[in-house]
Amino acid sequence: MPFTANRAFKAEPRLFASARDMHYFTPDGRAVLDGTGGLWCVNAGHCRAPIVAAIQRTAAELDYAPTFQLGHPGAFELSTRLAALMPDGLDRIFLASSGSEAVDSALKIALAYHRARGEGGRTRLIGRERGYHGTGFGGISVGGLVNNRRAFGTLLTGVDHLPHTHSLSDMAFSRGQPGWGAHLADDLERLVALHGAETIAAVIVEPVAGSTGVLVPPAGYLERLREITVKHGILLIFDEVITAFGRLGVATAAERFGVTPDLITMAKGLTNGAVPMGAIAASRAVHDAIVDAAAADGIELFHGYTYSGHPLAAAAGIATLDLYRDDALFERARSLETRWETALHRLREARHVIDLRTIGLVAAIELAPLEGCPGKRGTALFHACFDAGLLVRATGDTIALSPPLIVDEAQIDAMFGMLAEQINRID
């Protein structure tokens, strides 16, 4: 099982048998309130009828269609719809099958862009400490989560990392974007001086780092990264696999923070988690450079996947975007943000809590680790919450929350009430 302590799971398995709206249900029928949107992906709630119907209908009409030298209408319709949601100018879409594939695709597009412009020496990729960019070799190379990397050797060469943006001493219990830390973006100038701008292809960051424990960008940090990358001709990639599709109350984190990168990766909420899919939005400049450098009748980008633009995934994506629009879920998330933030910060005096972080409908509760046993307290709280009827996500000793955007105020209060009770029960 992926990212699972398999022996511990086999000793005490926890299973889901069905789901509906805001709840999972165990095989014995017990309801579990979903505080994590599945795995950051079920933004519109579980088993929504329009998405189910779209998948069923498409499975009976077009189960699969190759997209190498061929196409099908659903892939183009979805791409057009996605382009309309992206920041101005990022209207060229490439479809993949997951967030990991989207990241590796974006990295390859960045390399191809520079080569097409006659700057093939730009091969270096810059990630960030504590960054998570999926589990492909490209993603774990630019990623900065040690446990995701240490078992797999040297990975890609020519990769370096910016420092992460988390400091308990300078930003604990901030609300929204911390006021401290914008200067950390200036470390990119150090890397440019060290390696030479002419060797650097792209910088990739999560606008809000999710899997490492919800690290909200300091005010001014992303703006500074954008300034430095433009100055040195380096592409900026936002990994929005988690933050896109309403998690921050708008379509993208780029929109929320007012910073437009050159490429955006997406997945998860793209299809509401119903069918695996990923996507990359690229700027016109990136797209046109690659296309214009190719022979008139040749393949412009030698890259793709068997399941790129899969008909069922495209159908799920279109139905999901319809739900986001028809139910005004992005706006709903924004309207609940203050209630969500207030409920979270009531936990400030709870046992073991050393930090609280939130923006949009995402939050983190960081616990003091047990001496000599990092991660044990977070895992204990994860299990205690599940047994009490609440699904949360433990990442080390941080509990992450990212509920479906259909959550209501009573359910928000119930989530944090259960968390307060269980925090005070664990050792």
Side-chain angles (χ1 to χ4, degrees):
M1 295 173 66
F3 287 105
T4 298
N6 283 270
R7 288 165 294 184
F9 177 84
K10 289 175 182 178
E12 191 175 357
R14 291 172 170 84
L15 304 172
F16 290 134
S18 62
R20 176 71 58 186
D21 297 328
M22 278 296 299
H23 290 86
Y24 282 106
F25 298 90
T26 62
D28 60 0
R30 186 171 63 87
V32 178
L33 183 61
D34 186 1
T36 63
L39 199 58
W40 313 90
C41 52
V42 186
N43 290 4
H46 292 278
C47 295
R48 297 296 302 272
I51 301 174
V52 173
I55 295 169
Q56 291 174 329
R57 182 175 60 253
T58 304
E61 294 173 353
L62 184 65
D63 58 344
Y64 174 77
T67 52
F68 295 9
Q69 306 295 337
L70 296 164
H72 66 89
F76 290 99
E77 180 181 351
L78 176 61
S79 296
T80 300
R81 295 279 300 275
L82 284 175
L85 288 176
M86 294 297 107
D88 288 346
L90 267 69
D91 58 1
R92 293 297 179 260
I93 306 298
F94 186 89
L95 299 176
S97 308
S98 68
S100 294
E101 287 187 0
V103 166
D104 279 13
S105 297
L107 297 176
K108 291 175 74 174
I109 289 169
L111 296 172
Y113 163 77
H114 289 295
R115 181 172 290 273
R117 295 174 62 251
E119 295 191 60
R122 287 185 181 262
T123 59
R124 190 174 298 278
L125 303 167
I126 307 297
R128 186 168 61 184
E129 296 169 358
R130 296 187 66 171
Y132 178 72
H133 301 292
T135 55
F137 272 96
I140 59 174
S141 296
V142 296
L145 294 178
V146 174
N147 286 339
N148 288 10
R149 297 162 53 89
R150 61 163 39 116
F152 307 112
T154 57
L155 308 176
L156 296 185
T157 59
V159 174
D160 212 332
H161 293 79
L162 294 165
H164 65 75
T165 61
H166 185 43
S167 171
L168 280 174
S169 62
D170 295 294
M171 56 173 60
F173 300 104
S174 57
R175 296 174 181 246
Q177 289 187 268
W180 179 93
H183 66 283
L184 295 169
D186 291 332
D187 200 65
L188 180 55
E189 290 281 19
R190 180 186 65 82
L191 295 182
V192 169
L194 175 65
H195 300 298
E198 72 280 2
T199 72
I200 302 175
V203 172
I204 181 168
V205 296
E206 301 161 275
V208 177
S211 294
T212 193
V214 185
L215 306 185
V216 181
Y221 174 85
L222 295 174
E223 292 89 336
R224 182 65 181 139
L225 273 187
R226 178 72 285 192
E227 291 172 6
I228 298 170
T229 52
V230 169
K231 173 183 173 183
H232 294 291
I234 300 166
L235 295 184
L236 179 61
I237 304 170
F238 278 2
D239 184 345
E240 295 220 34
V241 167
I242 285 175
T243 52
F245 306 110
R247 182 56 51 196
L248 302 186
V250 285
T252 63
E255 179 182 349
R256 173 70 184 255
F257 297 123
V259 178
T260 300
D262 301 290
L263 297 143
I264 289 177
T265 63
M266 301 162 273
K268 295 189 182 289
L270 170 56
T271 63
N272 202 46
V275 179
M277 191 176 218
I280 305 91
S283 71
R284 289 279 185 101
V286 169
H287 170 273
D288 291 352
I290 294 171
V291 170
D292 292 346
D297 58 350
I299 294 172
E300 294 86 1
L301 182 67
F302 277 81
H303 175 65
Y305 304 97
T306 299
Y307 299 114
S308 290
H310 192 284
L312 269 64
I318 293 165
T320 298
L321 296 184
D322 285 343
L323 268 179
Y324 292 151
R325 179 198 63 207
D326 296 344
D327 291 0
L329 289 184
F330 300 173
E331 296 82 357
R332 177 183 177 82
R334 197 65 181 261
S335 72
L336 290 169
E337 185 169 343
T338 299
R339 179 67 170 256
W340 175 258
E341 177 186 282
T342 300
L344 171 73
H345 279 270
R346 291 193 189 110
L347 299 177
R348 181 164 183 163
E349 303 304 322
R351 291 177 66 208
H352 315 305
V353 172
I354 58 175
D355 193 17
L356 300 166
R357 302 183 286 275
T358 183
I359 191 167
L361 283 190
V362 62
I365 304 162
E366 186 167 348
L367 308 174
L370 282 168
E371 186 174 353
C373 300
K376 187 172 183 178
R377 184 166 276 153
T379 299
L381 183 54
F382 165 69
H383 289 156
C385 285
F386 180 92
D387 295 341
L390 172 65
L391 179 65
V392 298
R393 173 153 170 71
T395 173
D397 285 304
T398 297
I399 296 299
L401 299 163
S402 55
L405 308 183
I406 63 171
V407 66
D408 61 33
E409 293 183 348
Q411 289 165 337
I412 289 173
D413 292 342
M415 282 182 198
F416 289 106
M418 282 190 274
L419 275 160
E421 182 179 354
Q422 297 309 315
I423 289 171
N424 289 320
R425 284 185 175 180
I426 64 171
D427 294 330

